[in-house]
Amino acid sequence: MIKISPSILSADFANLARDIERIASADYVHVDVMDGLFVPNLTIGIPVVKAIRPTTALPLDVHLMIDRPVRYVEQFCDAGADIVTCHVEADTEEHTREALAKVHAKGKRAGVVLKPKTPAEAALPFLDDCDIVLVMTVEPGFGGQSFMADMMPKVAQIRKWIDERGLDCELEVDGGVGLKTRDACVEAGANVLVAGSAVYGAEDIPARIRALRG
Ligand code: DX5
Ligand code: ZN
């Protein structure tokens, strides 16, 4: 089954609880954390994860677009994150491994994220230890960008490795995913679709979530 993880980056931050309630029929809540260093934008952090935790029963899918995330992963877990993903570009292999282990030690799900210019192979050293791999289909930093269809071979390659190894690992795509682009993602092997503007820009949010799930 395809899972939908709406990105609250496209929500109304002055009405976050209301906008999270509006996506109650989704599978995850995607939380985009940016530090103004790893990406050229600043968004939300640990106190906001903590504040939204009691507002929803859905798992919080926390996408850390921050430099050296190993410094903060435990605090995100304690704040209520259920899934924590770290960019492989944000630190050394050793530290990324340490970050995954710290999330697992907290009893939460952990994964790695690849930016568009990062090859599929960059996920390989971590694959056996990941509950999820996230392939960016835009340059991280902002919502509402155009989908990069040329990322689909990367998704397909990672799907192949997951299946060959029989891993219990989800494969997520993030950026520019909407009604016109969801099929390509699913055909390439993604099973979790992040969608910000495609969900929050819809007149009927539950209907849009159903349509994206397919
Ligand atoms: C981009 C973020 C995405 C973004 C998706 O850096 O990681 O999650 O909010 O937004 P849309 O779906 O509008 O591209
Ligand atoms: Zn994201």
Side-chain angles (χ1 to χ4, degrees), residues 1-4 27 182 186 190-193 212-214:
M1 196 198 80
I2 301 303
K3 295 179 182 173
I4 305 301
D27 300 280
R182 57 87 58 205
V186 171
N191 78 298
V192 183
L193 310 179
L212 286 169
R213 217 180 251 132

Side-chain angles (χ1 to χ4, degrees), residues 7 9 30 32 34 63 65 136 140-144 174-176 194-197:
S7 168
L9 193 57
H30 188 81
D32 285 307
M34 305 188 192
H63 175 192
M65 285 162 275
M136 292 306 299
F142 301 91
D174 181 8
V194 175
S197 40

